Amino acid sequence: MERRDGWMMPMLFLKWLIPLLLAAAGAVWLAAARSKRWIGWVLVAVGIAALLPKWVLILLALAAVYALGRRQARKPSAVEALMPAAPSVSADWLDEWEKTIQKEAQTNGHFSPNEDDRSR
């Protein structure tokens, strides 16, 4: 009996050739083109992803989701970024300012609104 595996060799060759051509095209794009470099990165990523076993791709996807989740946890949310910061002035400052105003009013002969002066 003669083996007929010869007709499958071109399919096996194309299984590796197309991803390698995609990765090579992406590398050429990155080397030559200065604008839209993301196209080159996408071509390289698709080519490499086609060569890798599926379980490796699943592990890489899980690692990417984990890394993005950690990065989002460190960043403030959009609402927090837009809110103004709490004033760093203590409440004592306002009390001191009020006392200063009252002292200036007394030295200038003005009555403070807290004094009970019914003669006016």
Side-chain angles (χ1 to χ4, degrees):
M1 295 195 69
E2 182 180 342
R3 294 189 65 182
R4 297 188 176 233
D5 291 336
W7 64 273
M8 292 183 72
M9 289 305 280
M11 295 303 262
L12 183 63
F13 181 68
L14 287 177
K15 180 182 175 183
W16 292 94
L17 180 66
I18 293 173
L20 289 174
L21 286 176
L22 281 173
V28 169
W29 185 281
L30 286 172
R34 293 291 176 227
S35 64
K36 298 184 181 180
R37 292 180 58 92
W38 62 272
I39 295 173
W41 286 113
V42 168
L43 288 173
V44 169
V46 168
I48 291 174
L51 290 173
L52 293 176
K54 302 306 177 225
W55 65 271
V56 174
L57 294 177
I58 292 171
L59 289 178
L60 287 175
L62 290 175
V65 167
Y66 176 74
L68 287 175
R70 288 197 54 168
R71 182 183 298 172
Q72 290 296 331
R74 281 189 241 141
K75 287 184 180 178
S77 68
V79 174
E80 292 172 355
L82 294 177
M83 289 179 59
S88 61
V89 179
S90 65
D92 295 333
W93 178 83
L94 188 59
D95 293 337
E96 293 296 324
W97 177 76
E98 188 177 356
K99 288 177 186 176
T100 306
I101 295 297
Q102 287 177 357
K103 285 181 186 178
E104 289 176 0
Q106 287 177 356
T107 57
N108 293 335
H110 300 290
F111 293 103
S112 69
N114 293 339
E115 291 181 12
D116 191 16
D117 185 18
R118 299 185 187 206
S119 64
R120 286 191 258 168

